[in-house]
Amino acid sequence: MAARSIFLTLTRNVRGRERSLFRSFTTTTEVVYEDSPDSAVEEKDETVDDLKSRIFSVRLPKRSATNVLQRWVGEGRQVSISDLRHISKELRKSRRFKHALEISEWLVYHNQDEALDSDYATRIDLITKVFGIDSAERYFEGLPSTAKTTETYTALLHSYASLRLTEKAEDLYERMKEANLSLNTVTYNEMMTLYMSVGLLGKVPLIVEEMKLHKVSPDLFTYNLWVSSCAATLKIDEVRRILYEISLGSDYGEQWKRYMNLVYIYITSANLVNSGLNSVVECEKGITQREWISYDFLIILYGALGNKDKLDQIWKSLRMTNQKMSSRNYVCILSSYLMLGHMNEVGEIIDQWKLSAAADFDSSSGNRLLKAYKEGGLEERAVACRLLLIQKGCDQIEEL
């Protein structure tokens, strides 16, 4: 079960990187919209006496950030709403959810006229994490009608999705449509992420159809969910059709180009072909083939975004599961590092692959990878990878 929970966690973390691509209630999540626990806490300068420093000095969850705020105000100091939002965001990044919730409560209570939909949405997310989904539901239902917006509805939808409460998520999704709310890309992505995480892959294309019907533009995260749902059910012709659709888009830029190249390289080098079955055959135990393909497409998405730190994180997480990995998994992470020009990491992956007891090194997979890179117009990368494979003592590597 621990291994199977990786997909939902990593899927949500990817969106922390994509704050500029799609807005959400603190922008898509991220599961709680955090980047990484280590990135948030700044070294405290003992000579600085500001509100953020005081709050971050309160490290134990049982201690109160609210008391710090009260003392600050009692000293005649000002508290700006922008400072509170920034401090809450930093606390969430460091996974100090209780203190972030206290800051959020203060912000909304003392600045009701200035509070934004995102402030209420953030509270829903934090209440879910600190007190549970029942408390989050009560808070949402108690909001005035003016605060029940797409953003706050999506916040609760996110909470349901993160807990895999499919029936509740679908009921809320229908409520949003019945309320004639203007749904955004994040709302649809939440439903697609949920369906991917619970294995209802056939529902993912239906969400895409709804998006298009309501003229909501898919983003890169949307396309990745859609493509991975098709790849996981071995609908490879559909994958190619989606890639063609992406190429026709007006927002076709560097990230999109990398994404299309990586998907093409993946399905070619992994030798994925169409299947007449409705789904991929499941493994006897552990992570299923469907889940492995979903993980591979998270790696592809991080590679397209150029985010090496996240590539490192996901690969480390997958290796720690002690589940059997195939040549396809190694080719996927290797090609992503290669696409970004991180040759040291490419070499490390080759070494791991060769030494792995779970997946014998397969030179034919390496040759298919090189061929896919060359056919994709990335011959320079292919040459560099070929030289590295030879240096690592890999046999039967073909000429390009």
Side-chain angles (χ1 to χ4, degrees), residues 89-233:
K89 177 182 175 182
E90 294 300 304
L91 288 167
R92 295 196 305 277
K93 284 183 180 180
S94 59
R95 304 185 67 83
R96 292 172 59 175
F97 302 134
K98 176 181 174 291
H99 291 153
L101 178 58
E102 290 179 299
I103 300 300
S104 175
E105 289 173 343
W106 178 285
L107 186 157
V108 172
Y109 182 78
H110 291 276
N111 302 273
Q112 292 187 17
D113 292 339
E114 299 179 67
L116 303 175
D117 291 343
S118 59
D119 296 320
Y120 292 108
T122 298
R123 285 203 65 193
I124 292 170
D125 182 71
L126 289 171
I127 290 170
T128 302
K129 288 178 168 57
V130 178
F131 296 116
I133 190 62
D134 291 343
S135 296
E137 287 175 328
R138 287 194 296 272
Y139 175 75
F140 173 79
E141 296 299 348
L143 289 174
S145 58
T146 54
K148 289 182 178 177
T149 62
T150 299
E151 201 155 10
T152 52
Y153 265 101
T154 302
L156 184 59
L157 182 66
H158 163 75
S159 294
Y160 287 148
S162 65
L163 297 170
R164 303 189 186 189
L165 299 174
T166 306
E167 186 175 341
K168 286 193 171 188
E170 289 180 333
D171 288 346
L172 187 68
Y173 181 59
E174 291 303 318
R175 278 181 62 184
M176 296 176 74
K177 291 190 285 187
E178 290 169 3
N180 291 319
L181 293 173
S182 179
L183 306 188
N184 56 31
T185 307
V186 178
T187 307
Y188 293 112
N189 285 349
E190 288 289 356
M191 291 302 298
M192 294 171 70
T193 300
L194 170 63
Y195 289 142
M196 286 294 295
S197 69
V198 299
L200 297 174
L201 277 63
K203 291 192 174 185
V204 171
L206 300 179
I207 299 296
V208 178
E209 289 178 12
E210 285 193 40
M211 292 182 72
K212 292 182 176 181
L213 180 64
H214 293 93
K215 302 189 185 310
V216 177
S217 299
D219 57 23
L220 188 57
F221 188 71
T222 311
Y223 275 113
N224 190 60
L225 288 166
W226 188 14
V227 168
S228 61
S229 73
C230 294
T233 50

Side-chain angles (χ1 to χ4, degrees), residues 51 54 65-79 106 110:
L51 182 58
R54 288 194 187 185
T66 303
N67 289 342
V68 176
L69 278 165
Q70 290 172 338
R71 285 195 297 271
W72 182 267
V73 173
E75 293 171 7
R77 301 173 185 252
Q78 297 295 314
V79 178
W106 178 285
H110 291 276

Side-chain angles (χ1 to χ4, degrees), residues 5 7 23 26 47 50 71 79 83 97 102 153 164 173 175 216 226 230 272 284 294 312 325 344 367 378 396 399:
S5 68
F7 171 73
R23 260 180 103 246
T26 58
T47 63
D50 58 20
R71 285 195 297 271
V79 178
D83 285 343
F97 302 134
E102 290 179 299
Y153 265 101
R164 303 189 186 189
Y173 181 59
R175 278 181 62 184
V216 177
W226 188 14
C230 294
L272 293 181
E284 291 184 3
S294 297
D312 295 342
M325 287 189 280
N344 288 338
N367 285 324
L378 299 164
Q396 299 178 331
E399 294 284 345

Side-chain angles (χ1 to χ4, degrees), residues 77-90:
R77 301 173 185 252
Q78 297 295 314
V79 178
S80 74
I81 194 168
S82 60
D83 285 343
L84 292 175
R85 288 185 182 121
H86 174 69
I87 293 170
S88 176
K89 177 182 175 182
E90 294 300 304

